[in-house]
Amino acid sequence: MQTIGLVGGMSWESSAVYYQALNEGVEQRVGGLSSARTMLASVDFAEVTALQEQERWDDVAAILTSAAQGVERAGADFLLLCTTTFHRVADQVEAAVGIPLLHLADVVAEACKAQQVTSVGFLGTEFAMSRSFFTDRLAQHGLEVHVPDPRHHAALNAIIYDELVHGRVLDSSRRTVVGLIEELWDAGAGGLVLGCTELELLVRQPDSELPLFPCTTLHVAAALDRALG
């Protein structure tokens, strides 16, 4: 079993989902008392979020790079960034370590293509929806990507940062997100990418007529495939 390097803390709720899912996955695939070999470095979400809001991306990259190098030195065989938004600096992090980085967008795109979905809606943080670093990476795989109208971005961002990262899962917010999914369906999306770990706490496949592509679940499955060979 290879050792999975995790750079987390963005948010800790997201990292907890990764850790639990990786260990549950190993237990299911291997059996017995088996659990995942992991090395986790968890950064301060408040610090990197403040730097993001100031567009200080070199400083964000330095923090995540230091964390990645730490898990590499600790023996990780490959690396996951447990975040969507901060994949904005994934290329810089990958260039600074000697182990492979399993890029979230590549994993999600391959999952979409495996289900013959060529047009997807994308939900995530306001930053991830309004910038193209993640959707462009999806598009490089031949996917057409739709995002909600900008007038909805602040409301979805508030659901993520004011509720979900604190473990608050509200039915009213679920209805809001389901409404956005239906709008993206009307716009031509044939599938829906849940581009934020916390959104997987809120919306599940029974809530959507469209097939859902939950980023964290897919990321974990790809990491297990690699770790277990």
Side-chain angles (χ1 to χ4, degrees), residues 6-16 18 40-49 60 63-64 67 80-87 89 125 160-161 165 196-198:
L6 305 169
V7 176
M10 301 165 282
S11 65
W12 73 260
E13 287 275 357
S14 168
S15 303
Y18 268 90
L40 168 65
S42 187
V43 303
D44 181 358
F45 193 35
E47 180 182 16
V48 294
T49 297
V60 172
I63 291 170
L64 299 192
L80 276 64
L81 299 181
C82 303
T83 171
T84 302
T85 296
F86 293 98
H87 266 75
V89 296
T125 63
I160 293 168
Y161 281 100
V165 300
C196 180
T197 305
E198 289 82 6

PDB file of all heavy atoms in Angstrom, residues 6-16 18 40-49 60 63-64 67 80-87 89 125 160-161 165 196-198:
ATOM      1  N   LEU A   6      -1.628  14.192   2.179  1.00  0.00           N
ATOM      2  CA  LEU A   6      -2.798  15.074   2.175  1.00  0.00           C
ATOM      3  C   LEU A   6      -2.399  16.459   2.670  1.00  0.00           C
ATOM      4  O   LEU A   6      -1.785  16.584   3.731  1.00  0.00           O
ATOM      5  CB  LEU A   6      -3.895  14.524   3.088  1.00  0.00           C
ATOM      6  CG  LEU A   6      -4.375  13.095   2.832  1.00  0.00           C
ATOM      7  CD1 LEU A   6      -5.255  12.618   3.981  1.00  0.00           C
ATOM      8  CD2 LEU A   6      -5.129  13.023   1.519  1.00  0.00           C
ATOM      9  N   VAL A   7      -2.746  17.475   1.899  1.00  0.00           N
ATOM     10  CA  VAL A   7      -2.644  18.856   2.374  1.00  0.00           C
ATOM     11  C   VAL A   7      -4.059  19.323   2.625  1.00  0.00           C
ATOM     12  O   VAL A   7      -4.864  19.460   1.700  1.00  0.00           O
ATOM     13  CB  VAL A   7      -1.927  19.765   1.364  1.00  0.00           C
ATOM     14  CG1 VAL A   7      -1.939  21.213   1.851  1.00  0.00           C
ATOM     15  CG2 VAL A   7      -0.498  19.290   1.153  1.00  0.00           C
ATOM     16  N   GLY A   8      -4.399  19.512   3.893  1.00  0.00           N
ATOM     17  CA  GLY A   8      -5.782  19.792   4.270  1.00  0.00           C
ATOM     18  C   GLY A   8      -5.917  21.050   5.101  1.00  0.00           C
ATOM     19  O   GLY A   8      -5.048  21.921   5.118  1.00  0.00           O
ATOM     20  N   GLY A   9      -7.055  21.132   5.799  1.00  0.00           N
ATOM     21  CA  GLY A   9      -7.378  22.300   6.614  1.00  0.00           C
ATOM     22  C   GLY A   9      -8.194  23.349   5.881  1.00  0.00           C
ATOM     23  O   GLY A   9      -8.441  24.421   6.419  1.00  0.00           O
ATOM     24  N   MET A  10      -8.680  23.008   4.667  1.00  0.00           N
ATOM     25  CA  MET A  10      -9.353  24.017   3.827  1.00  0.00           C
ATOM     26  C   MET A  10     -10.751  23.528   3.400  1.00  0.00           C
ATOM     27  O   MET A  10     -10.980  23.294   2.235  1.00  0.00           O
ATOM     28  CB  MET A  10      -8.490  24.306   2.594  1.00  0.00           C
ATOM     29  CG  MET A  10      -7.109  24.825   2.932  1.00  0.00           C
ATOM     30  SD  MET A  10      -5.971  24.739   1.525  1.00  0.00           S
ATOM     31  CE  MET A  10      -5.539  22.992   1.505  1.00  0.00           C
ATOM     32  N   SER A  11     -11.665  23.303   4.303  1.00  0.00           N
ATOM     33  CA  SER A  11     -11.690  23.495   5.738  1.00  0.00           C
ATOM     34  C   SER A  11     -11.366  22.186   6.465  1.00  0.00           C
ATOM     35  O   SER A  11     -11.168  21.165   5.813  1.00  0.00           O
ATOM     36  CB  SER A  11     -13.107  23.932   6.144  1.00  0.00           C
ATOM     37  OG  SER A  11     -14.028  22.858   5.875  1.00  0.00           O
ATOM     38  N   TRP A  12     -11.339  22.235   7.807  1.00  0.00           N
ATOM     39  CA  TRP A  12     -11.088  20.990   8.537  1.00  0.00           C
ATOM     40  C   TRP A  12     -12.225  20.017   8.316  1.00  0.00           C
ATOM     41  O   TRP A  12     -12.031  18.795   8.356  1.00  0.00           O
ATOM     42  CB  TRP A  12     -10.856  21.263  10.021  1.00  0.00           C
ATOM     43  CG  TRP A  12     -12.072  21.648  10.818  1.00  0.00           C
ATOM     44  CD1 TRP A  12     -12.448  22.906  11.190  1.00  0.00           C
ATOM     45  CD2 TRP A  12     -13.059  20.767  11.373  1.00  0.00           C
ATOM     46  NE1 TRP A  12     -13.620  22.866  11.914  1.00  0.00           N
ATOM     47  CE2 TRP A  12     -14.012  21.567  12.053  1.00  0.00           C
ATOM     48  CE3 TRP A  12     -13.237  19.381  11.356  1.00  0.00           C
ATOM     49  CZ2 TRP A  12     -15.119  21.028  12.707  1.00  0.00           C
ATOM     50  CZ3 TRP A  12     -14.349  18.834  12.008  1.00  0.00           C
ATOM     51  CH2 TRP A  12     -15.270  19.649  12.672  1.00  0.00           C
ATOM     52  N   GLU A  13     -13.467  20.528   8.092  1.00  0.00           N
ATOM     53  CA  GLU A  13     -14.593  19.646   7.786  1.00  0.00           C
ATOM     54  C   GLU A  13     -14.284  18.839   6.527  1.00  0.00           C
ATOM     55  O   GLU A  13     -14.552  17.640   6.447  1.00  0.00           O
ATOM     56  CB  GLU A  13     -15.876  20.467   7.575  1.00  0.00           C
ATOM     57  CG  GLU A  13     -16.474  21.051   8.824  1.00  0.00           C
ATOM     58  CD  GLU A  13     -17.375  20.078   9.546  1.00  0.00           C
ATOM     59  OE1 GLU A  13     -17.571  18.961   9.031  1.00  0.00           O
ATOM     60  OE2 GLU A  13     -17.873  20.424  10.637  1.00  0.00           O
ATOM     61  N   SER A  14     -13.733  19.499   5.527  1.00  0.00           N
ATOM     62  CA  SER A  14     -13.367  18.823   4.283  1.00  0.00           C
ATOM     63  C   SER A  14     -12.303  17.761   4.538  1.00  0.00           C
ATOM     64  O   SER A  14     -12.400  16.622   4.049  1.00  0.00           O
ATOM     65  CB  SER A  14     -12.847  19.861   3.277  1.00  0.00           C
ATOM     66  OG  SER A  14     -12.233  19.230   2.179  1.00  0.00           O
ATOM     67  N   SER A  15     -11.293  18.104   5.321  1.00  0.00           N
ATOM     68  CA  SER A  15     -10.211  17.159   5.591  1.00  0.00           C
ATOM     69  C   SER A  15     -10.713  15.939   6.349  1.00  0.00           C
ATOM     70  O   SER A  15     -10.258  14.813   6.114  1.00  0.00           O
ATOM     71  CB  SER A  15      -9.103  17.843   6.390  1.00  0.00           C
ATOM     72  OG  SER A  15      -8.633  18.977   5.696  1.00  0.00           O
ATOM     73  N   ALA A  16     -11.659  16.157   7.260  1.00  0.00           N
ATOM     74  CA  ALA A  16     -12.230  15.040   8.008  1.00  0.00           C
ATOM     75  C   ALA A  16     -12.950  14.078   7.080  1.00  0.00           C
ATOM     76  O   ALA A  16     -12.874  12.850   7.251  1.00  0.00           O
ATOM     77  CB  ALA A  16     -13.180  15.558   9.088  1.00  0.00           C
ATOM     78  N   TYR A  18     -12.214  13.583   3.877  1.00  0.00           N
ATOM     79  CA  TYR A  18     -11.166  12.857   3.164  1.00  0.00           C
ATOM     80  C   TYR A  18     -10.611  11.719   4.027  1.00  0.00           C
ATOM     81  O   TYR A  18     -10.485  10.582   3.572  1.00  0.00           O
ATOM     82  CB  TYR A  18     -10.019  13.793   2.789  1.00  0.00           C
ATOM     83  CG  TYR A  18     -10.132  14.433   1.429  1.00  0.00           C
ATOM     84  CD1 TYR A  18     -10.780  15.651   1.248  1.00  0.00           C
ATOM     85  CD2 TYR A  18      -9.569  13.825   0.306  1.00  0.00           C
ATOM     86  CE1 TYR A  18     -10.867  16.248   0.001  1.00  0.00           C
ATOM     87  CE2 TYR A  18      -9.649  14.412  -0.945  1.00  0.00           C
ATOM     88  CZ  TYR A  18     -10.293  15.623  -1.098  1.00  0.00           C
ATOM     89  OH  TYR A  18     -10.385  16.202  -2.343  1.00  0.00           O
ATOM     90  N   LEU A  40      -0.810  13.704   6.797  1.00  0.00           N
ATOM     91  CA  LEU A  40      -1.653  14.881   6.668  1.00  0.00           C
ATOM     92  C   LEU A  40      -0.962  16.099   7.253  1.00  0.00           C
ATOM     93  O   LEU A  40      -0.497  16.068   8.391  1.00  0.00           O
ATOM     94  CB  LEU A  40      -2.989  14.660   7.392  1.00  0.00           C
ATOM     95  CG  LEU A  40      -3.884  15.886   7.593  1.00  0.00           C
ATOM     96  CD1 LEU A  40      -4.364  16.447   6.257  1.00  0.00           C
ATOM     97  CD2 LEU A  40      -5.075  15.533   8.486  1.00  0.00           C
ATOM     98  N   ALA A  41      -0.900  17.162   6.449  1.00  0.00           N
ATOM     99  CA  ALA A  41      -0.501  18.482   6.951  1.00  0.00           C
ATOM    100  C   ALA A  41      -1.719  19.388   6.830  1.00  0.00           C
ATOM    101  O   ALA A  41      -2.296  19.522   5.744  1.00  0.00           O
ATOM    102  CB  ALA A  41       0.658  19.045   6.136  1.00  0.00           C
ATOM    103  N   SER A  42      -2.128  19.981   7.930  1.00  0.00           N
ATOM    104  CA  SER A  42      -3.336  20.796   7.941  1.00  0.00           C
ATOM    105  C   SER A  42      -2.975  22.257   8.177  1.00  0.00           C
ATOM    106  O   SER A  42      -2.355  22.598   9.185  1.00  0.00           O
ATOM    107  CB  SER A  42      -4.281  20.293   9.046  1.00  0.00           C
ATOM    108  OG  SER A  42      -5.530  20.942   8.984  1.00  0.00           O
ATOM    109  N   VAL A  43      -3.354  23.097   7.224  1.00  0.00           N
ATOM    110  CA  VAL A  43      -3.027  24.524   7.312  1.00  0.00           C
ATOM    111  C   VAL A  43      -4.159  25.281   8.001  1.00  0.00           C
ATOM    112  O   VAL A  43      -5.238  24.740   8.245  1.00  0.00           O
ATOM    113  CB  VAL A  43      -2.758  25.115   5.910  1.00  0.00           C
ATOM    114  CG1 VAL A  43      -1.637  24.358   5.211  1.00  0.00           C
ATOM    115  CG2 VAL A  43      -4.022  25.112   5.050  1.00  0.00           C
ATOM    116  N   ASP A  44      -3.903  26.540   8.315  1.00  0.00           N
ATOM    117  CA  ASP A  44      -4.896  27.398   8.963  1.00  0.00           C
ATOM    118  C   ASP A  44      -5.802  28.001   7.890  1.00  0.00           C
ATOM    119  O   ASP A  44      -5.369  28.827   7.082  1.00  0.00           O
ATOM    120  CB  ASP A  44      -4.177  28.492   9.752  1.00  0.00           C
ATOM    121  CG  ASP A  44      -5.139  29.433  10.480  1.00  0.00           C
ATOM    122  OD1 ASP A  44      -6.367  29.278  10.351  1.00  0.00           O
ATOM    123  OD2 ASP A  44      -4.644  30.343  11.172  1.00  0.00           O
ATOM    124  N   PHE A  45      -7.053  27.589   7.897  1.00  0.00           N
ATOM    125  CA  PHE A  45      -8.009  28.034   6.879  1.00  0.00           C
ATOM    126  C   PHE A  45      -8.173  29.549   6.894  1.00  0.00           C
ATOM    127  O   PHE A  45      -8.287  30.186   5.837  1.00  0.00           O
ATOM    128  CB  PHE A  45      -9.350  27.335   7.128  1.00  0.00           C
ATOM    129  CG  PHE A  45     -10.341  27.450   6.002  1.00  0.00           C
ATOM    130  CD1 PHE A  45      -9.955  27.465   4.683  1.00  0.00           C
ATOM    131  CD2 PHE A  45     -11.703  27.502   6.284  1.00  0.00           C
ATOM    132  CE1 PHE A  45     -10.881  27.549   3.649  1.00  0.00           C
ATOM    133  CE2 PHE A  45     -12.642  27.584   5.264  1.00  0.00           C
ATOM    134  CZ  PHE A  45     -12.228  27.609   3.943  1.00  0.00           C
ATOM    135  N   ALA A  46      -8.200  30.132   8.078  1.00  0.00           N
ATOM    136  CA  ALA A  46      -8.365  31.588   8.168  1.00  0.00           C
ATOM    137  C   ALA A  46      -7.206  32.309   7.485  1.00  0.00           C
ATOM    138  O   ALA A  46      -7.411  33.308   6.779  1.00  0.00           O
ATOM    139  CB  ALA A  46      -8.466  32.012   9.628  1.00  0.00           C
ATOM    140  N   GLU A  47      -6.007  31.799   7.676  1.00  0.00           N
ATOM    141  CA  GLU A  47      -4.827  32.450   7.094  1.00  0.00           C
ATOM    142  C   GLU A  47      -4.854  32.388   5.575  1.00  0.00           C
ATOM    143  O   GLU A  47      -4.672  33.418   4.899  1.00  0.00           O
ATOM    144  CB  GLU A  47      -3.558  31.797   7.621  1.00  0.00           C
ATOM    145  CG  GLU A  47      -2.276  32.406   7.079  1.00  0.00           C
ATOM    146  CD  GLU A  47      -1.032  31.704   7.581  1.00  0.00           C
ATOM    147  OE1 GLU A  47      -1.133  30.580   8.090  1.00  0.00           O
ATOM    148  OE2 GLU A  47       0.060  32.290   7.439  1.00  0.00           O
ATOM    149  N   VAL A  48      -5.077  31.200   5.018  1.00  0.00           N
ATOM    150  CA  VAL A  48      -5.028  31.100   3.555  1.00  0.00           C
ATOM    151  C   VAL A  48      -6.228  31.779   2.909  1.00  0.00           C
ATOM    152  O   VAL A  48      -6.121  32.317   1.791  1.00  0.00           O
ATOM    153  CB  VAL A  48      -4.902  29.633   3.086  1.00  0.00           C
ATOM    154  CG1 VAL A  48      -3.566  29.054   3.506  1.00  0.00           C
ATOM    155  CG2 VAL A  48      -6.052  28.766   3.573  1.00  0.00           C
ATOM    156  N   THR A  49      -7.376  31.796   3.590  1.00  0.00           N
ATOM    157  CA  THR A  49      -8.544  32.489   3.045  1.00  0.00           C
ATOM    158  C   THR A  49      -8.301  33.998   3.008  1.00  0.00           C
ATOM    159  O   THR A  49      -8.658  34.675   2.031  1.00  0.00           O
ATOM    160  CB  THR A  49      -9.799  32.163   3.869  1.00  0.00           C
ATOM    161  OG1 THR A  49     -10.066  30.758   3.778  1.00  0.00           O
ATOM    162  CG2 THR A  49     -11.011  32.931   3.338  1.00  0.00           C
ATOM    163  N   VAL A  60      -0.022  32.145  -0.665  1.00  0.00           N
ATOM    164  CA  VAL A  60      -0.797  30.908  -0.519  1.00  0.00           C
ATOM    165  C   VAL A  60       0.027  29.722  -0.999  1.00  0.00           C
ATOM    166  O   VAL A  60       0.106  28.677  -0.339  1.00  0.00           O
ATOM    167  CB  VAL A  60      -2.115  30.996  -1.307  1.00  0.00           C
ATOM    168  CG1 VAL A  60      -2.821  29.636  -1.323  1.00  0.00           C
ATOM    169  CG2 VAL A  60      -3.033  32.059  -0.725  1.00  0.00           C
ATOM    170  N   ILE A  63       2.658  28.594   1.484  1.00  0.00           N
ATOM    171  CA  ILE A  63       2.123  27.840   2.625  1.00  0.00           C
ATOM    172  C   ILE A  63       1.790  26.408   2.216  1.00  0.00           C
ATOM    173  O   ILE A  63       2.157  25.442   2.899  1.00  0.00           O
ATOM    174  CB  ILE A  63       0.871  28.546   3.189  1.00  0.00           C
ATOM    175  CG1 ILE A  63       1.270  29.864   3.860  1.00  0.00           C
ATOM    176  CG2 ILE A  63       0.139  27.640   4.177  1.00  0.00           C
ATOM    177  CD1 ILE A  63       0.096  30.744   4.228  1.00  0.00           C
ATOM    178  N   LEU A  64       1.111  26.255   1.098  1.00  0.00           N
ATOM    179  CA  LEU A  64       0.721  24.913   0.668  1.00  0.00           C
ATOM    180  C   LEU A  64       1.930  24.108   0.198  1.00  0.00           C
ATOM    181  O   LEU A  64       1.983  22.887   0.392  1.00  0.00           O
ATOM    182  CB  LEU A  64      -0.336  24.987  -0.430  1.00  0.00           C
ATOM    183  CG  LEU A  64      -1.656  25.675  -0.066  1.00  0.00           C
ATOM    184  CD1 LEU A  64      -2.711  25.407  -1.136  1.00  0.00           C
ATOM    185  CD2 LEU A  64      -2.156  25.242   1.302  1.00  0.00           C
ATOM    186  N   ALA A  67       3.648  22.760   3.261  1.00  0.00           N
ATOM    187  CA  ALA A  67       2.890  21.625   3.787  1.00  0.00           C
ATOM    188  C   ALA A  67       3.113  20.383   2.929  1.00  0.00           C
ATOM    189  O   ALA A  67       3.303  19.273   3.449  1.00  0.00           O
ATOM    190  CB  ALA A  67       1.410  21.975   3.844  1.00  0.00           C
ATOM    191  N   LEU A  80      -2.404  14.740  -2.503  1.00  0.00           N
ATOM    192  CA  LEU A  80      -3.726  15.298  -2.776  1.00  0.00           C
ATOM    193  C   LEU A  80      -3.841  16.640  -2.067  1.00  0.00           C
ATOM    194  O   LEU A  80      -3.431  16.773  -0.900  1.00  0.00           O
ATOM    195  CB  LEU A  80      -4.839  14.394  -2.242  1.00  0.00           C
ATOM    196  CG  LEU A  80      -5.335  13.221  -3.079  1.00  0.00           C
ATOM    197  CD1 LEU A  80      -4.241  12.188  -3.278  1.00  0.00           C
ATOM    198  CD2 LEU A  80      -6.556  12.579  -2.418  1.00  0.00           C
ATOM    199  N   LEU A  81      -4.393  17.641  -2.756  1.00  0.00           N
ATOM    200  CA  LEU A  81      -4.824  18.881  -2.115  1.00  0.00           C
ATOM    201  C   LEU A  81      -6.299  18.700  -1.773  1.00  0.00           C
ATOM    202  O   LEU A  81      -7.125  18.521  -2.674  1.00  0.00           O
ATOM    203  CB  LEU A  81      -4.637  20.080  -3.038  1.00  0.00           C
ATOM    204  CG  LEU A  81      -3.214  20.400  -3.493  1.00  0.00           C
ATOM    205  CD1 LEU A  81      -3.215  21.637  -4.395  1.00  0.00           C
ATOM    206  CD2 LEU A  81      -2.283  20.604  -2.305  1.00  0.00           C
ATOM    207  N   CYS A  82      -6.621  18.743  -0.485  1.00  0.00           N
ATOM    208  CA  CYS A  82      -7.999  18.466  -0.037  1.00  0.00           C
ATOM    209  C   CYS A  82      -8.839  19.737  -0.130  1.00  0.00           C
ATOM    210  O   CYS A  82      -9.357  20.254   0.872  1.00  0.00           O
ATOM    211  CB  CYS A  82      -7.983  17.925   1.379  1.00  0.00           C
ATOM    212  SG  CYS A  82      -6.990  16.444   1.585  1.00  0.00           S
ATOM    213  N   THR A  83      -8.995  20.248  -1.321  1.00  0.00           N
ATOM    214  CA  THR A  83      -9.649  21.532  -1.570  1.00  0.00           C
ATOM    215  C   THR A  83      -9.884  21.671  -3.068  1.00  0.00           C
ATOM    216  O   THR A  83      -9.171  21.057  -3.858  1.00  0.00           O
ATOM    217  CB  THR A  83      -8.747  22.687  -1.096  1.00  0.00           C
ATOM    218  OG1 THR A  83      -9.281  23.946  -1.534  1.00  0.00           O
ATOM    219  CG2 THR A  83      -7.338  22.563  -1.670  1.00  0.00           C
ATOM    220  N   THR A  84     -10.883  22.457  -3.430  1.00  0.00           N
ATOM    221  CA  THR A  84     -11.047  22.838  -4.835  1.00  0.00           C
ATOM    222  C   THR A  84     -10.494  24.240  -5.074  1.00  0.00           C
ATOM    223  O   THR A  84      -9.652  24.453  -5.937  1.00  0.00           O
ATOM    224  CB  THR A  84     -12.529  22.801  -5.246  1.00  0.00           C
ATOM    225  OG1 THR A  84     -13.060  21.497  -5.030  1.00  0.00           O
ATOM    226  CG2 THR A  84     -12.680  23.143  -6.731  1.00  0.00           C
ATOM    227  N   THR A  85     -10.923  25.184  -4.250  1.00  0.00           N
ATOM    228  CA  THR A  85     -10.542  26.582  -4.450  1.00  0.00           C
ATOM    229  C   THR A  85      -9.029  26.767  -4.524  1.00  0.00           C
ATOM    230  O   THR A  85      -8.512  27.483  -5.392  1.00  0.00           O
ATOM    231  CB  THR A  85     -11.117  27.455  -3.326  1.00  0.00           C
ATOM    232  OG1 THR A  85     -12.548  27.419  -3.401  1.00  0.00           O
ATOM    233  CG2 THR A  85     -10.640  28.885  -3.440  1.00  0.00           C
ATOM    234  N   PHE A  86      -8.297  26.092  -3.641  1.00  0.00           N
ATOM    235  CA  PHE A  86      -6.861  26.317  -3.579  1.00  0.00           C
ATOM    236  C   PHE A  86      -6.088  25.463  -4.573  1.00  0.00           C
ATOM    237  O   PHE A  86      -4.847  25.499  -4.576  1.00  0.00           O
ATOM    238  CB  PHE A  86      -6.373  26.162  -2.142  1.00  0.00           C
ATOM    239  CG  PHE A  86      -6.905  27.243  -1.243  1.00  0.00           C
ATOM    240  CD1 PHE A  86      -8.009  27.016  -0.444  1.00  0.00           C
ATOM    241  CD2 PHE A  86      -6.339  28.503  -1.249  1.00  0.00           C
ATOM    242  CE1 PHE A  86      -8.530  28.021   0.354  1.00  0.00           C
ATOM    243  CE2 PHE A  86      -6.840  29.526  -0.462  1.00  0.00           C
ATOM    244  CZ  PHE A  86      -7.951  29.281   0.346  1.00  0.00           C
ATOM    245  N   HIS A  87      -6.809  24.755  -5.458  1.00  0.00           N
ATOM    246  CA  HIS A  87      -6.135  24.202  -6.631  1.00  0.00           C
ATOM    247  C   HIS A  87      -5.670  25.325  -7.560  1.00  0.00           C
ATOM    248  O   HIS A  87      -4.972  25.061  -8.539  1.00  0.00           O
ATOM    249  CB  HIS A  87      -7.062  23.244  -7.388  1.00  0.00           C
ATOM    250  CG  HIS A  87      -6.887  21.803  -6.981  1.00  0.00           C
ATOM    251  ND1 HIS A  87      -7.375  21.324  -5.792  1.00  0.00           N
ATOM    252  CD2 HIS A  87      -6.274  20.760  -7.590  1.00  0.00           C
ATOM    253  CE1 HIS A  87      -7.077  20.035  -5.697  1.00  0.00           C
ATOM    254  NE2 HIS A  87      -6.392  19.681  -6.769  1.00  0.00           N
ATOM    255  N   VAL A  89      -3.357  27.120  -6.988  1.00  0.00           N
ATOM    256  CA  VAL A  89      -1.885  27.088  -6.953  1.00  0.00           C
ATOM    257  C   VAL A  89      -1.349  25.659  -7.085  1.00  0.00           C
ATOM    258  O   VAL A  89      -0.194  25.394  -6.738  1.00  0.00           O
ATOM    259  CB  VAL A  89      -1.345  27.748  -5.658  1.00  0.00           C
ATOM    260  CG1 VAL A  89      -1.702  29.224  -5.626  1.00  0.00           C
ATOM    261  CG2 VAL A  89      -1.846  27.028  -4.418  1.00  0.00           C
ATOM    262  N   THR A 125     -17.184  27.360  -4.547  1.00  0.00           N
ATOM    263  CA  THR A 125     -17.105  28.666  -3.901  1.00  0.00           C
ATOM    264  C   THR A 125     -17.251  29.771  -4.947  1.00  0.00           C
ATOM    265  O   THR A 125     -17.099  29.550  -6.143  1.00  0.00           O
ATOM    266  CB  THR A 125     -15.760  28.839  -3.186  1.00  0.00           C
ATOM    267  OG1 THR A 125     -14.704  28.792  -4.159  1.00  0.00           O
ATOM    268  CG2 THR A 125     -15.537  27.750  -2.151  1.00  0.00           C
ATOM    269  N   ILE A 160     -21.725  27.840   1.882  1.00  0.00           N
ATOM    270  CA  ILE A 160     -20.493  27.080   2.125  1.00  0.00           C
ATOM    271  C   ILE A 160     -19.766  27.609   3.356  1.00  0.00           C
ATOM    272  O   ILE A 160     -19.448  26.855   4.290  1.00  0.00           O
ATOM    273  CB  ILE A 160     -19.574  27.132   0.892  1.00  0.00           C
ATOM    274  CG1 ILE A 160     -20.219  26.382  -0.291  1.00  0.00           C
ATOM    275  CG2 ILE A 160     -18.203  26.531   1.216  1.00  0.00           C
ATOM    276  CD1 ILE A 160     -19.527  26.614  -1.621  1.00  0.00           C
ATOM    277  N   TYR A 161     -19.501  28.921   3.404  1.00  0.00           N
ATOM    278  CA  TYR A 161     -18.626  29.474   4.436  1.00  0.00           C
ATOM    279  C   TYR A 161     -19.334  29.762   5.759  1.00  0.00           C
ATOM    280  O   TYR A 161     -18.710  29.680   6.821  1.00  0.00           O
ATOM    281  CB  TYR A 161     -17.956  30.749   3.923  1.00  0.00           C
ATOM    282  CG  TYR A 161     -16.789  30.488   3.005  1.00  0.00           C
ATOM    283  CD1 TYR A 161     -16.931  30.583   1.627  1.00  0.00           C
ATOM    284  CD2 TYR A 161     -15.548  30.129   3.510  1.00  0.00           C
ATOM    285  CE1 TYR A 161     -15.861  30.335   0.771  1.00  0.00           C
ATOM    286  CE2 TYR A 161     -14.472  29.877   2.668  1.00  0.00           C
ATOM    287  CZ  TYR A 161     -14.645  29.990   1.302  1.00  0.00           C
ATOM    288  OH  TYR A 161     -13.578  29.740   0.468  1.00  0.00           O
ATOM    289  N   VAL A 165     -19.052  24.811   6.397  1.00  0.00           N
ATOM    290  CA  VAL A 165     -17.726  24.633   7.010  1.00  0.00           C
ATOM    291  C   VAL A 165     -17.818  24.582   8.529  1.00  0.00           C
ATOM    292  O   VAL A 165     -16.868  24.158   9.200  1.00  0.00           O
ATOM    293  CB  VAL A 165     -16.725  25.730   6.580  1.00  0.00           C
ATOM    294  CG1 VAL A 165     -16.525  25.734   5.087  1.00  0.00           C
ATOM    295  CG2 VAL A 165     -17.139  27.090   7.092  1.00  0.00           C
ATOM    296  N   CYS A 196     -16.931  21.347  -4.358  1.00  0.00           N
ATOM    297  CA  CYS A 196     -16.549  21.775  -3.023  1.00  0.00           C
ATOM    298  C   CYS A 196     -16.907  20.634  -2.085  1.00  0.00           C
ATOM    299  O   CYS A 196     -18.048  20.163  -2.095  1.00  0.00           O
ATOM    300  CB  CYS A 196     -17.301  23.051  -2.645  1.00  0.00           C
ATOM    301  SG  CYS A 196     -16.933  23.689  -1.006  1.00  0.00           S
ATOM    302  N   THR A 197     -15.963  20.190  -1.302  1.00  0.00           N
ATOM    303  CA  THR A 197     -16.211  19.043  -0.419  1.00  0.00           C
ATOM    304  C   THR A 197     -17.447  19.249   0.439  1.00  0.00           C
ATOM    305  O   THR A 197     -18.271  18.345   0.613  1.00  0.00           O
ATOM    306  CB  THR A 197     -14.996  18.811   0.498  1.00  0.00           C
ATOM    307  OG1 THR A 197     -13.829  18.671  -0.292  1.00  0.00           O
ATOM    308  CG2 THR A 197     -15.188  17.576   1.358  1.00  0.00           C
ATOM    309  N   GLU A 198     -17.590  20.455   0.981  1.00  0.00           N
ATOM    310  CA  GLU A 198     -18.698  20.710   1.896  1.00  0.00           C
ATOM    311  C   GLU A 198     -20.057  20.547   1.230  1.00  0.00           C
ATOM    312  O   GLU A 198     -21.041  20.194   1.889  1.00  0.00           O
ATOM    313  CB  GLU A 198     -18.567  22.110   2.504  1.00  0.00           C
ATOM    314  CG  GLU A 198     -17.430  22.259   3.495  1.00  0.00           C
ATOM    315  CD  GLU A 198     -16.086  22.504   2.839  1.00  0.00           C
ATOM    316  OE1 GLU A 198     -16.047  22.670   1.605  1.00  0.00           O
ATOM    317  OE2 GLU A 198     -15.061  22.525   3.547  1.00  0.00           O
TER     318      GLU A 198
END
